[in-house]
Amino acid sequence: MSRQDSGLSIFALGGLHEVGKNMYVIQYEDEIIVIDCGNKFPDESLLGIDLIIPDITYLVENKDKIKALILTHGHEDHIGAIPFFLKKLNVPVYATRFTLGLIELKLKEHKMLRETELHEITTTSEITFSSMKIDFFKVTHSIPDCLGLSINTPEGRIVHTGDFKFDFTPANNEQSDIHKMAQIGKEGVLLLLSESTNAERPGSTPTEQMVGANVEEAFRKAEQKIIFSTFASNISRVQQVVNAAQKTGRKLALLGRSMVNVVSVAMERGYLDVPEGMLIEQEQISELTPENVAILCTGSQGEPLAALSRLSTGNFRGVEVLAGDTVILAAGPIPGNEKAVTRIVDNLLSIGANVIYGTGSSSGMHVSGHGYQEDLKMMLTLMKPKYFIPIHGEYRMLHHHRQLAESVGVEKGKTFLLNNGDVVDINKGEARQTRKVDAGNTYVDGVGVGEVGDIVLRDRKQLSEDGMLIIILSMSKSKKELASKPDTISRGFVYMKESEKLLNDVNSLISKTVNELPENSKNEWGTIKKHIKRTVGQYLFNHTKKKPMILPFIIEV
């Protein structure tokens, strides 16, 4: 459905159920701004898929109207899809200094940096187009330089919070600008889009400073090597590790490409203070006594190829976890990653390492960067919106956030939960959700973007579950009959040496099927293949209860 002829529209291109893929579009008549451009990582059902990014069909169709891509902060679920986005829509990009540093790493990797128009913004920046003006306000999160957006339109003001919590004693001294938020709310907010990750958790989010004291205590108690795993982007947490290492006389090694890259950006741009001579190369770890070494690595989410996972299985060349080493997981598992994290903990414990894991008070090593219920209610109270769209969360999170909004004064019926492609239209101050635009998921598979669809994924799933059976037929070109017995090859279906009878019976069935076909059908290779797939498929299911992929090949002789 096309958009309305006039007025203000808000599109969700990474909406309901999308914890890890964020993109929202604000359009006023012929002007569009895009907020965030994140990716999501696949679960085990999406075999071979590397990333999931938003479907930007609508934006490509309206590319001449797009004025800017604006990033709230530098987490992967907000910037991870940028290279793929810019390959189709080379529009100006606006982000804070630290976020730009992370974006530049991605653009260099994709050889796009020189062609991209990047603009640095701060809390005092203003971006003005003919019908929209964007201001910014500081928010606290688990990465430096996070902003919320205040977008003034002829219909009224829209506020997008980005990811946030209210931490009055943040480790990096980057406090939320509550006074500016209150002023925005006083001036009037037509629509608020606010993140919902922790909408189910009562109370207020604990302060990051709580972690620092616990990290230092763990460093003092450790008798051998320390392996500390956290999100590379959590620079406050990284600084706490640096401080603890300095106080306990340990050198620090970085493992994992993202950890090395992000720490380099943070140091270059002044967001991370590392004493000269503290950082050592991976090769130097074995040269020092264990009590003088700390390792900072990626893999706190159980990623199979990340440093911590490889360390836990003894597959990291040159570095080994020994009995008595201390391993600290300083991050809570993202929903869906719990099994992978548990597997790593089990592996480490079996080695004999001392493992500290868990969130909040259970370990003292991690607090969330997302606001709990009281934080979310505080944002709603400051902004006092007429309409509300909870964003960034699964359905239950958005549902709880809607209830929180109603508890602090947002009228029932004035909250919208948006699926991918859902649109809220605002005309003369009244909002309606009545239409959709083309949207969904685009799969990144190696260098291919959008080339893998549901049919390919279905085939991969079938192959992974029941394997495949390859059937090779030699057909006489002149006589239109089998020139020799069929040959079958099993891959992932049955072990051929132990299933000779089954495969011989299949070969006999194939011969019978071909021989009984009408003479005019034997001229059509497609018809022969169709009959073989149906007959053999039914036979195998009756005898094995499996549905392997059947691939007939005909060789004309």
Side-chain angles (χ1 to χ4, degrees), residues 30-130:
D30 290 332
E31 286 191 338
I32 292 175
I33 64 168
V34 182
I35 303 172
D36 287 336
C37 188
N39 69 260
K40 181 181 177 183
F41 293 102
D43 59 29
E44 62 274 5
S45 68
L46 297 174
L47 299 166
I49 300 301
D50 299 314
L51 295 174
I52 307 169
I53 60 177
D55 178 353
I56 56 172
T57 300
Y58 178 83
L59 296 177
V60 172
E61 291 172 352
N62 294 271
K63 60 183 178 181
D64 294 336
K65 301 175 183 178
I66 302 173
K67 302 301 179 184
L69 169 62
I70 303 174
L71 291 315
T72 59
H73 65 284
H75 276 145
E76 284 296 302
D77 54 343
H78 294 259
I79 69 169
I82 284 179
F84 309 102
F85 178 93
L86 293 177
K87 284 175 184 176
K88 292 188 175 182
L89 298 165
N90 192 9
V91 301
V93 177
Y94 295 81
T96 55
R97 188 163 178 264
F98 183 71
T99 306
L100 281 179
L102 301 180
I103 293 171
E104 287 172 7
L105 286 175
K106 293 183 176 296
L107 297 180
K108 284 179 184 176
E109 185 177 335
H110 286 260
K111 297 180 173 56
M112 297 173 62
L113 183 58
R114 297 177 69 179
E115 291 77 35
T116 305
E117 183 182 336
L118 300 176
H119 299 273
E120 183 179 323
I121 54 176
T122 68
T123 54
T124 60
S125 297
E126 288 186 358
I127 306 173
T128 303
F129 304 111
S130 60

Side-chain angles (χ1 to χ4, degrees), residues 76-259:
E76 284 296 302
D77 54 343
H78 294 259
I79 69 169
I82 284 179
F84 309 102
F85 178 93
L86 293 177
K87 284 175 184 176
K88 292 188 175 182
L89 298 165
N90 192 9
V91 301
V93 177
Y94 295 81
T96 55
R97 188 163 178 264
F98 183 71
T99 306
L100 281 179
L102 301 180
I103 293 171
E104 287 172 7
L105 286 175
K106 293 183 176 296
L107 297 180
K108 284 179 184 176
E109 185 177 335
H110 286 260
K111 297 180 173 56
M112 297 173 62
L113 183 58
R114 297 177 69 179
E115 291 77 35
T116 305
E117 183 182 336
L118 300 176
H119 299 273
E120 183 179 323
I121 54 176
T122 68
T123 54
T124 60
S125 297
E126 288 186 358
I127 306 173
T128 303
F129 304 111
S130 60
S131 60
M132 288 189 274
K133 187 182 84 168
I134 302 101
D135 306 286
F136 303 92
F137 55 91
K138 184 72 185 172
V139 293
T140 304
H141 187 38
S142 55
I143 188 172
D145 269 5
C146 300
L147 296 177
L149 281 65
S150 171
I151 306 154
N152 287 290
T153 77
E155 283 287 346
R157 188 193 305 262
I158 298 173
V159 172
H160 186 296
T161 66
D163 287 356
F164 74 94
K165 69 175 183 178
F166 288 105
D167 187 343
F168 299 103
T169 56
N172 59 6
N173 295 318
E174 292 190 4
Q175 292 186 344
S176 299
D177 192 343
I178 295 176
H179 295 294
K180 192 166 186 178
M181 295 181 203
Q183 183 60 36
I184 291 169
K186 185 177 180 182
E187 293 170 2
V189 174
L190 176 64
L191 171 68
L192 173 68
L193 296 92
S194 182
E195 74 125 326
S196 313
T197 307
N198 279 334
E200 299 171 283
R201 304 179 73 171
S204 300
T205 313
T207 176
E208 178 69 26
Q209 281 200 2
M210 179 191 84
V211 176
N214 292 322
V215 171
E216 186 177 330
E217 182 183 2
F219 269 58
R220 293 192 186 282
K221 288 181 177 179
E223 297 178 353
Q224 294 181 191
K225 282 200 308 292
I226 295 174
I227 297 97
F228 194 102
S229 183
T230 189
F231 291 114
S233 59
N234 195 336
I235 300 302
S236 296
R237 193 75 46 81
V238 173
Q239 185 67 64
Q240 290 168 331
V241 171
V242 169
N243 295 344
Q246 183 182 24
K247 290 178 181 178
T248 56
R250 291 177 183 264
K251 298 291 186 181
L252 187 63
L254 307 177
L255 300 184
R257 188 178 68 159
S258 63
M259 184 65 73

Side-chain angles (χ1 to χ4, degrees), residues 259-317:
M259 184 65 73
V260 172
N261 288 341
V262 173
V263 167
S264 297
V265 170
M267 291 175 65
E268 288 170 7
R269 303 198 172 210
Y271 294 90
L272 182 63
D273 181 20
V274 181
E276 188 173 348
M278 173 178 281
L279 291 180
I280 60 172
E281 297 297 327
Q282 175 185 325
E283 295 76 19
Q284 297 174 269
I285 294 173
S286 59
E287 298 173 5
L288 299 172
T289 55
E291 62 269 21
N292 291 322
V293 176
I295 295 170
L296 186 59
C297 69
T298 56
S300 60
Q301 294 304 305
E303 305 95 317
L305 298 180
L308 186 62
S309 180
R310 290 156 59 202
L311 286 168
S312 75
T313 55
N315 291 321
F316 201 107
R317 184 180 298 175

Side-chain angles (χ1 to χ4, degrees), residues 291-504:
E291 62 269 21
N292 291 322
V293 176
I295 295 170
L296 186 59
C297 69
T298 56
S300 60
Q301 294 304 305
E303 305 95 317
L305 298 180
L308 186 62
S309 180
R310 290 156 59 202
L311 286 168
S312 75
T313 55
N315 291 321
F316 201 107
R317 184 180 298 175
V319 184
E320 188 177 5
V321 179
L322 302 174
D325 287 347
T326 297
V327 182
I328 301 170
L329 279 73
I334 294 170
N337 292 347
E338 294 89 351
K339 286 185 178 179
V341 173
T342 300
R343 191 179 305 118
I344 287 177
V345 172
D346 287 345
N347 290 342
L348 293 167
L349 289 172
S350 69
I351 293 170
N354 302 312
V355 186
I356 302 173
Y357 62 99
T359 61
S361 58
S362 63
S363 71
M365 294 296 170
H366 175 68
V367 296
S368 178
H370 301 274
Y372 289 11
Q373 289 181 355
E374 295 306 313
D375 302 61
L376 301 182
K377 288 195 287 187
M378 184 173 179
M379 179 65 77
L380 285 157
T381 302
L382 287 168
M383 294 298 174
K384 299 186 285 290
K386 179 180 179 181
Y387 295 102
F388 176 56
I389 299 177
I391 60 174
H392 194 192
E394 296 177 359
Y395 187 89
R396 65 184 189 279
M397 303 169 187
L398 276 60
H399 170 74
H400 281 285
H401 202 175
R402 173 168 58 186
Q403 291 181 323
L404 292 174
E406 292 171 355
S407 74
V408 296
V410 176
E411 289 183 29
K412 285 189 175 182
K414 293 191 174 181
T415 300
F416 304 98
L417 273 60
L418 303 186
N419 278 299
N420 279 349
D422 284 351
V423 182
V424 172
D425 291 313
I426 303 177
N427 202 317
K428 297 180 181 178
E430 296 300 318
R432 294 176 300 131
Q433 180 187 339
T434 59
R435 63 191 182 96
K436 295 176 70 74
V437 299
D438 290 336
N441 293 326
T442 298
Y443 299 122
V444 179
D445 182 6
V447 296
V449 180
E451 297 174 1
V452 175
D454 292 339
I455 294 175
V456 174
L457 288 173
R458 185 189 65 199
D459 288 347
R460 288 181 181 180
K461 187 172 187 293
Q462 185 180 4
L463 285 168
S464 72
E465 291 176 348
D466 293 327
M468 68 191 305
L469 190 70
I470 301 169
I471 300 170
I472 301 172
L473 301 175
S474 296
M475 297 287 295
S476 170
K477 185 176 181 180
S478 56
K479 297 181 179 179
K480 304 299 180 185
E481 62 184 26
L482 288 171
S484 62
K485 291 182 179 180
D487 190 16
T488 52
I489 303 170
S490 169
R491 290 292 181 267
F493 168 50
V494 292
Y495 185 44
M496 295 183 66
K497 288 185 177 179
E498 295 178 355
S499 305
E500 287 186 13
K501 183 180 184 310
L502 174 68
L503 297 179
N504 286 335

